[in-house]
Amino acid sequence: MGQRDRGRTTKERFQNKKVKSGDSGRQPHTGQPSRPKQLSTPRNGVIVEGGSERWLKRGFQWVYPNELLAKQNGLKPGKHVDIVSQSGENLGRGIWDDGWISVRRFLNKPAPIDQALFLDRITTARNLREQIIDEKTTAYRLVNAENDGLPGIRIDMFGAHALISLDSPSLLSILADLTGALETVMDTRGVYLAWRPDPRDSFDQKTAPKPPGLISGHPHKGPLRVTERGVACLVDLHGDKSVGIFLDMRSNRAWLENHWGGKRILNLFAHTGFFSVVAAMHGASEVTSVDLSGHYLDRAEQNFIANELDPTPHSFIEGDVRKVLDRFRRKEESFDIAILDPPSFSHGPEGVLSLKKDFPTLVSSTLKVIQDGGWLVAALNLGEVSPRDFHAMVHKGAQKAGFALQLIFEGGQGPDFPAHVDFPEGRYLKFGIWRKVDPV
């Protein structure tokens, strides 16, 4: 996929409760809402309870199953529905689904969800990107789902090629109009489809009703070369495997550009090694990339070569990060900067890695191979983990290793990943850089 499935969110508690500082989303309430006897089944949509009505009026764009008081009979995924309050007020129009989200709202009024709407939303999104994407960057997010007014839809640009990622098969009902609008606004050469299944839904890549891949235009042949701030990356848009670059980390990589020079770098969970390439391009003396996948490490070496960098002075280690860190510790190898950006879930020789449980231990093990005064670069993409809890996990790992830390930079996703103020789920990426120091 063009953009990794970075931590789907668990929403913050909202009904008659105070939101804790640092919480990052809205928590759907449990149990069935009380249904007034006078309500009848709506003719063309759904009726929602008061809590959902309040959030919709604030700008929130989802309706959960337990917020429904009544719905039209025989609704099927993809149906365009009106959202109505208990008093009969129209709260907008959305697309019905039978998954963990019942309605994704596209409009706050009863108007068509059609190509004209998509033309307007994509044009508005493009105008923002024209202001914030530099001329040496050809890979960026064009539409960031709910945050750009198109819930469940992400569009990433890779040169003249576009990747549409959908959260749900229900959105196939508008795919043709969406693709037509995208081709008109962006003059694309090829448009690809990818799926972004949520574990709370019942479909996955294999059961999706339409396979990922090219859906319009001309395909790219072989690896597609794109750039971020002038650094090349080879991507592949054809299948269900990762495209090869995590676009949301651009601003964090940019901040680090002046700090790689002469340093020994350890890149854990390296994926296709783009962080490694950027470090080497900006003067790192040696970069060690570790990943469980030999396929991704092969792509990492290709990315070095695509930037006319000799991969020979650098190391590419295929293995479980936990085991590799233990080996480094026993051999007393150390690094100036270590990058810790693990996937939310993986399974390796050392067993299942679950970040909720294992992230502090990963931090502890990583700090043990960073020399005194060195930097820990850490990121977490579990949406249900708040920024406050992320910092607590890093602190717990440091305590476990017997070290103290100084926070020197705190980042997040780049400006092409805007977060709508009425959709707290949009602020999902936690990122920080800490300096390792001895305890006082």
Side-chain angles (χ1 to χ4, degrees):
M1 296 179 61
Q3 167 62 27
R4 56 182 151 182
D5 285 349
R6 311 218 50 163
R8 313 306 290 282
T9 57
T10 301
K11 320 303 175 297
E12 69 192 15
R13 300 175 182 87
F14 72 100
Q15 280 209 325
N16 302 320
K17 296 183 181 180
K18 293 182 179 179
V19 176
K20 295 180 180 179
S21 174
D23 284 352
S24 59
R26 170 191 167 194
Q27 176 69 38
H29 64 85
T30 58
Q32 295 297 325
S34 58
R35 177 174 174 168
K37 292 181 179 180
Q38 70 272 20
L39 288 180
S40 60
T41 302
R43 294 181 59 186
N44 187 38
V46 300
I47 299 176
V48 297
E49 50 83 55
S52 178
E53 176 185 352
R54 288 191 291 274
W55 274 89
L56 289 166
K57 286 182 175 180
R58 287 177 54 179
F60 197 73
Q61 294 172 322
W62 296 346
V63 175
Y64 296 108
N66 285 345
E67 296 169 345
L68 299 174
L69 295 174
K71 66 183 180 69
Q72 177 187 353
N73 292 327
L75 281 179
K76 294 183 178 180
K79 171 76 172 178
H80 297 194
V81 295
D82 288 325
I83 307 169
V84 182
S85 72
Q86 297 178 60
S87 64
E89 180 181 0
N90 190 292
L91 302 172
R93 181 163 291 170
I95 295 179
W96 173 261
D97 200 353
D98 58 2
W100 73 284
I101 296 172
S102 290
V103 184
R104 292 174 174 87
R105 185 178 66 163
F106 283 73
L107 291 153
N108 61 3
K109 57 186 178 181
I113 303 174
D114 57 11
Q115 190 168 120
L117 172 67
F118 301 137
L119 282 168
D120 177 70
R121 298 280 166 88
I122 294 173
T123 299
T124 299
R126 180 202 62 189
N127 292 343
L128 170 62
R129 275 63 180 186
E130 287 179 345
Q131 298 175 48
I132 60 179
I133 301 297
D134 68 88
E135 61 183 9
K136 293 183 178 180
T137 296
T138 62
Y140 58 92
R141 175 147 294 183
L142 173 66
V143 170
N144 195 32
E146 291 79 4
N147 306 283
D148 282 305
L150 293 177
I153 300 167
R154 288 150 186 81
I155 304 176
D156 295 318
M157 295 301 300
F158 300 92
H161 297 264
L163 181 70
I164 298 175
S165 299
L166 299 181
D167 283 4
S168 166
S170 66
L171 298 169
L172 283 175
S173 65
I174 48 87
L175 183 59
D177 281 344
L178 177 69
T179 302
L182 176 62
E183 291 174 321
T184 298
V185 175
M186 300 304 294
D187 191 23
T188 56
R189 176 172 174 79
V191 180
Y192 293 78
L193 172 68
W195 293 101
R196 225 174 148 267
D198 187 280
R200 287 164 287 194
D201 272 332
S202 59
F203 86 103
D204 57 25
Q205 298 279 5
K206 295 180 180 179
T207 61
K210 188 177 182 66
L214 185 73
I215 56 174
S216 182
H218 303 281
H220 69 84
K221 296 181 179 179
L224 177 63
R225 186 181 188 275
V226 296
T227 56
E228 176 182 295
R229 296 173 60 82
V231 181
C233 185
L234 302 177
V235 301
D236 183 359
L237 309 182
H238 288 100
D240 58 359
K241 294 185 180 298
S242 173
V243 163
I245 183 172
F246 297 146
L247 303 177
D248 54 359
M249 292 290 266
R250 182 187 309 107
S251 295
N252 303 316
R253 283 190 285 261
W255 190 90
L256 280 159
E257 285 178 2
N258 295 326
H259 303 285
W260 300 118
K263 302 292 198 305
R264 293 189 73 220
I265 310 300
L266 175 62
N267 187 8
L268 303 168
F269 304 98
H271 192 238
T272 62
F274 193 63
F275 245 118
S276 301
V277 170
V278 172
M281 286 288 287
H282 289 89
S285 60
E286 179 185 349
V287 184
T288 298
S289 303
V290 182
D291 200 274
L292 192 60
S293 169
H295 170 72
Y296 284 147
L297 290 176
D298 289 343
R299 291 177 67 178
E301 289 197 60
Q302 294 168 12
N303 279 330
F304 271 77
I305 295 169
N307 287 280
E308 300 182 354
L309 290 169
D310 181 5
T312 305
H314 308 285
S315 301
F316 302 85
I317 301 175
E318 180 180 350
D320 190 295
V321 162
R322 292 165 290 187
K323 197 169 184 178
V324 173
L325 284 171
D326 186 60
R327 185 168 69 247
F328 286 154
R329 179 189 59 79
R330 287 185 281 107
K331 291 184 176 182
E332 297 184 348
E333 289 196 52
S334 63
F335 301 85
D336 298 298
I337 301 176
I339 304 162
L340 179 63
D341 182 14
S344 57
F345 182 87
S346 67
H347 194 291
E350 296 297 299
V352 174
L353 174 68
S354 175
L355 291 190
K356 281 186 176 181
K357 176 173 65 73
D358 296 328
F359 192 74
T361 300
L362 285 172
V363 169
S364 175
S365 299
T366 304
L367 286 171
K368 291 175 183 177
V369 300
I370 298 175
Q371 51 187 324
D372 293 341
W375 291 4
L376 169 69
V377 178
L380 192 62
N381 301 284
L382 283 178
E384 61 263 36
V385 176
S386 70
R388 180 185 60 186
D389 290 340
F390 169 59
H391 284 274
M393 293 165 83
V394 173
H395 180 62
K396 181 178 179 180
Q399 286 186 315
K400 186 175 181 179
F403 300 109
L405 297 174
Q406 294 173 320
L407 178 66
I408 58 177
F409 177 76
E410 187 167 14
Q413 64 254 35
D416 50 328
F417 289 74
H420 199 289
V421 296
D422 295 312
F423 188 73
E425 284 70 11
R427 301 184 293 275
Y428 66 92
L429 177 59
K430 277 74 67 174
F431 179 92
I433 301 175
W434 290 263
R435 180 172 177 263
K436 175 183 169 181
V437 295
D438 289 330
V440 177

